[in-house]
Amino acid sequence: MDPKPLPADLDAAHALIQKQAVALELKDKLIEEQAHSVLELKSDRDKLDEKNIELNLTIEKLLKQLFGRKSERRIDCDGQLHFDLGEEPTPEVISALEEAICDARQIVDDAEEDKKKRRRNRSATGDRKFPEHLPRYERIVDVPEGKREGLTLIGYDEVETLEWVPADLKVRLTKYAKYVHPTDKAQGIVSPERPTGLVEWDRFDASIGVEVVAWKYFYHLPFYRQQDMFGASGWTPSRSTLQNIETAVEFALRPLAEHLQCILKQDPTVGCDDTGVLLITPAAMPDLSDHPRGKRITEVLEKAMTTGKPSIKANFWGYYASRLPVVAFDFTVSRHRDGPDDVLSDFEGNLIGDCWSGFQKIQIRSDSRITFAACWAHARRKIDECRSAFPIQVAKLESLIGNLYDVEDQCKHLTAPEQLSRRQSLSRHVLDQIEAYLSSEAMQSPKVLPKSNLGMAAAYVRRHWEALHRFTEDVSIPLDNNDCEQLMKRVATGRKNWMFKGSVAAGERAANLMTIIGSAIRNNLDVRAYLDDVLRRALSGETDWQSMTPHAWKAEHPESIRQYRDDERRQAADRKKTRRARRRTRKK
């Protein structure tokens, strides 16, 4: 209070009281504003802390992508379960669990015996020799004549040394006879019919086209590196020449690529994945009047040309048949749903992929002709990204998901009805456990906040639970889409080398050629031998595309099967099977 004496009259007292009331009101207002500022600062700080955590998680994720372990193989840690199917499983589940453990022990024993057998075979056979079909020549290295006087030759020590001879280019001069009637000039010149060549005037043999295409889409060598490869053999073509040769090969084999795509759509389940690629913006709009996707392409290109963008992000799509040995690729100018919708316009079955909105709603757009199934590898990947912040919860969830893979591994050799029965009993039992754990206290606030990375990963699983559950309804649906994801590595490796596509036509040519080469690789074929044969047959006018599919051609040309690829895949599958079997035999 003011130390001055209080006023004696009433009016002065009222004025003093009013003055003090105004001062108190201003003070309360100031305190309120300060409190509001403190709350705003606290809110801003909380947002910054949340942003900081999010950025740190992003940095951790990027560092893992750059320098971390690329394999998604699960590593045992705290909270890891070993084929545990719950505390009170049904008798059927108990029986299956006991059977799985017995099978696992047998698998481990067989693997150990195979390992010992391979070691014995290596010791017995000694050093491996080069294949017998390779041409050989002899070079005798003798002791100098002065030092072998009085000695008797008793034999030679043989040492095989493999040599590399660069490609040998040859020019074939074909002379077509010309005849003319000596008196009847009206008959004109008579000459034998000339076969269809790869390019005009038959300047390049089919073998050159095979090398250009195989080098680019099998060995991932761009044209400027191919110039060096051909230059080492004495001929240096221009890049435009190599481009024309690729165009000619694709034109001849385009019906084969379309036929392979038709075969793929006969499979009950198709996997789909995509990846981006740069497409150079054209200086002028190409003629798209006859193109089935002309409207969409025109919209994207016009927008890029109007805004002055030098390039746009186009898309390659990969399609992987779950049962039939074929793959297919498609090219679009954007990541728009018209890609899968067009390719699968006459497909009836299941589509498995990530939970992109275009895949989720394909069932509605196709009038239930296509059923979408979600990929468990994507769900597990999102959970695994949270390992550093929530090690116990992640270990539990990944262990349960690992049980799903163990069930698949256990029933892989069974018939389709038996596999479906195991999925509907064992896999659904594990799914019930996952659902229960997602609803448990360990996954609720405050232990796991909804906006945390694990909270969002759990929400992802809950949101797509029906699609993740769909593999238990159809035996043709795999547990994940990893095979198709592996297929897309071919695009990623190629993109790293040839960098971009120069036009829409170039992207579509690449998709067709990768369809043919990708299907040949899936069948473990010698890509060069396969391309050479089917290209020559196509140029000769043959149209029996079914006999030219890789799986049909494989049966007629067993000598062109890359047996070592079959062995590698079998050995990798055996290692995975043994690793999972060892995990199943452990105690909790």
Side-chain angles (χ1 to χ4, degrees):
M1 296 293 292
D2 193 341
K4 294 179 182 180
L6 294 175
D9 60 292
L10 186 61
D11 292 338
H14 285 172
L16 179 60
I17 292 171
Q18 187 176 6
K19 180 180 178 181
Q20 293 297 329
V22 171
L24 288 173
E25 186 178 350
L26 290 173
K27 186 177 180 180
D28 290 342
K29 188 175 181 181
L30 181 60
I31 292 172
E32 184 181 351
E33 289 178 353
Q34 289 176 342
H36 184 67
S37 298
V38 169
L39 291 174
E40 283 185 344
L41 289 172
K42 186 176 183 302
S43 176
D44 291 342
R45 180 179 174 179
D46 291 342
K47 289 179 180 178
L48 288 173
D49 287 342
E50 185 178 343
K51 187 69 174 177
N52 185 46
I53 294 172
E54 183 180 344
L55 290 173
N56 285 331
L57 290 172
T58 303
I59 292 171
E60 182 182 343
K61 181 179 177 181
L62 292 173
L63 288 173
K64 183 178 178 182
Q65 289 177 350
L66 287 172
F67 309 111
R69 186 171 56 91
K70 296 298 186 291
S71 171
E72 290 191 350
R73 184 190 305 174
R74 308 273 69 81
I75 298 176
D76 293 352
C77 59
D78 292 340
Q80 190 79 24
L81 305 178
H82 305 291
F83 208 70
D84 176 67
L85 296 178
E87 296 179 358
E88 298 180 358
T90 63
E92 182 182 2
V93 172
I94 293 174
S95 174
L97 179 57
E98 292 173 349
E99 180 186 344
I101 293 174
C102 290
D103 290 344
R105 287 173 179 160
Q106 185 62 46
I107 290 169
V108 173
D109 292 341
D110 292 344
E112 292 296 331
E113 184 60 33
D114 288 342
K115 186 185 293 186
K116 294 177 182 177
K117 189 183 297 183
R118 285 196 299 271
R119 287 175 180 169
R120 288 195 297 266
N121 290 339
R122 280 200 297 269
S123 301
T125 57
D127 295 336
R128 295 179 59 187
K129 289 195 172 184
F130 295 114
E132 293 296 330
H133 67 270
L134 294 177
R136 285 168 166 77
Y137 71 94
E138 290 185 358
R139 184 169 69 96
I140 297 177
V141 180
D142 208 339
V143 176
E145 187 174 352
K147 292 185 178 181
R148 64 174 183 257
E149 203 173 302
L151 301 178
T152 302
L153 179 66
I154 60 173
Y156 296 93
D157 286 334
E158 295 183 351
V159 178
E160 286 193 342
T161 305
L162 189 66
E163 295 180 357
W164 168 263
V165 179
D168 186 17
L169 289 175
K170 300 177 182 178
V171 178
R172 183 182 68 237
L173 178 61
T174 305
K175 295 183 177 181
Y176 293 94
K178 297 189 295 183
Y179 292 89
V180 65
H181 198 278
T183 57
D184 188 2
K185 304 297 183 183
Q187 292 188 19
I189 297 174
V190 179
S191 185
E193 184 179 354
R194 302 189 183 189
T196 302
L198 183 62
V199 297
E200 192 176 5
W201 303 108
D202 197 18
R203 283 181 50 79
F204 302 108
D205 184 62
S207 58
I208 298 295
V210 168
E211 290 301 311
V212 170
V213 169
W215 281 352
K216 185 170 184 180
Y217 296 109
F218 182 53
Y219 299 109
H220 311 294
L221 294 176
F223 287 151
Y224 74 89
R225 292 183 190 166
Q226 293 191 29
Q227 285 180 304
D228 294 333
M229 299 286 285
F230 280 116
S233 300
W235 173 61
T236 308
S238 65
R239 298 180 194 180
S240 61
T241 297
L242 297 175
Q243 177 68 63
N244 291 337
I245 293 173
E246 179 195 319
T247 302
V249 173
E250 187 273 337
F251 179 77
L253 296 181
R254 189 181 304 164
L256 175 58
E258 294 171 350
H259 183 72
L260 289 172
Q261 193 178 103
C262 291
I263 294 176
L264 177 131
K265 289 183 283 188
Q266 296 172 14
D267 200 287
T269 298
V270 171
C272 183
D273 198 14
D274 68 292
T275 187
V277 63
L278 284 182
L279 173 65
I280 302 300
T281 304
M285 184 64 65
D287 183 14
L288 300 169
S289 55
D290 296 329
H291 199 289
R293 299 175 183 166
K295 182 178 179 181
R296 176 65 182 169
I297 296 173
T298 301
E299 290 175 357
V300 174
L301 294 184
E302 280 184 347
K303 183 178 179 181
M305 294 166 68
T306 303
T307 56
K309 292 178 66 175
S311 63
I312 59 176
K313 188 176 180 181
N315 246 45
F316 272 112
W317 303 82
Y319 298 88
Y320 192 95
S322 66
R323 300 299 178 91
L324 300 176
V326 292
V327 303
F329 287 89
D330 185 37
F331 176 82
T332 58
V333 295
S334 64
R335 195 189 191 214
H336 193 263
R337 67 189 188 196
D338 61 355
D341 284 2
D342 285 352
V343 171
L344 303 176
S345 59
D346 54 349
F347 170 68
E348 185 173 348
N350 306 301
L351 176 68
I352 182 169
D354 57 31
C355 292
W356 172 55
S357 59
F359 290 154
Q360 292 180 56
K361 298 176 182 176
I362 198 168
Q363 186 167 343
I364 299 174
R365 297 195 304 274
S366 66
D367 295 327
S368 299
R369 177 173 41 83
I370 300 174
T371 302
F372 172 66
C375 165
W376 267 104
H378 280 85
R380 183 175 61 182
R381 202 170 299 147
K382 289 182 178 295
I383 293 171
D384 188 65
E385 290 171 358
C386 317
R387 179 178 291 277
S388 60
F390 302 93
I392 301 299
Q393 291 92 331
V394 168
K396 293 287 186 182
L397 286 170
E398 288 195 343
S399 299
L400 291 170
I401 296 173
N403 284 346
L404 291 177
Y405 281 89
D406 286 335
V407 172
E408 290 297 300
D409 193 51
Q410 179 195 357
C411 65
K412 190 172 292 184
H413 63 283
L414 302 178
T415 62
E418 290 173 328
Q419 287 183 33
L420 186 60
S421 175
R422 291 292 180 96
R423 284 185 175 185
Q424 291 180 344
S425 58
L426 297 180
S427 297
R428 283 184 176 175
H429 185 82
V430 177
L431 288 170
D432 290 342
Q433 287 185 287
I434 295 174
E435 188 175 21
Y437 189 75
L438 289 174
S439 303
S440 68
E441 184 182 351
M443 292 294 295
Q444 304 302 316
S445 182
K447 293 183 178 180
V448 178
L449 297 174
K451 292 296 183 180
S452 66
N453 54 353
L454 182 58
M456 290 188 287
Y460 174 91
V461 175
R462 295 189 195 99
R463 190 164 58 250
H464 306 296
W465 187 249
E466 184 180 353
L468 288 167
H469 204 278
R470 202 148 278 150
F471 76 99
T472 62
E473 302 167 2
D474 191 332
V475 73
S476 70
I477 301 176
L479 193 58
D480 57 42
N481 196 34
N482 282 349
D483 288 331
C484 192
E485 287 193 13
Q486 292 289 329
L487 176 68
M488 298 310 293
K489 284 186 176 180
R490 302 202 62 79
V491 182
T493 306
R495 179 183 58 209
K496 189 175 180 180
N497 289 276
W498 36 254
M499 304 296 288
F500 59 84
K501 283 299 172 187
S503 65
V504 175
E508 292 172 344
R509 284 197 302 268
N512 286 333
L513 291 171
M514 285 192 293
T515 295
I516 298 169
I517 292 175
S519 296
I521 293 170
R522 183 171 179 181
N523 286 273
N524 294 335
L525 295 181
D526 180 340
V527 173
R528 272 199 181 99
Y530 171 69
L531 285 177
D532 188 81
D533 184 62
V534 297
L535 180 58
R536 292 183 188 279
R537 289 164 66 177
L539 291 174
S540 68
E542 187 174 338
T543 56
D544 184 10
W545 305 113
Q546 179 59 36
S547 67
M548 286 188 269
T549 57
H551 50 283
W553 192 89
K554 178 180 182 178
E556 298 294 329
H557 300 81
E559 73 283 355
S560 294
I561 299 174
R562 292 304 195 204
Q563 191 60 47
Y564 60 88
R565 292 298 184 201
D566 278 332
D567 294 341
E568 286 174 356
R569 292 182 181 180
R570 186 177 62 255
Q571 290 167 9
D574 288 344
R575 286 194 298 270
K576 181 187 291 185
K577 186 177 180 181
T578 304
R579 188 172 64 248
R580 290 177 175 173
R582 285 197 176 98
R583 188 176 75 241
R584 288 201 294 269
T585 57
R586 296 175 193 157
K587 301 287 185 181
K588 257 187 80 174

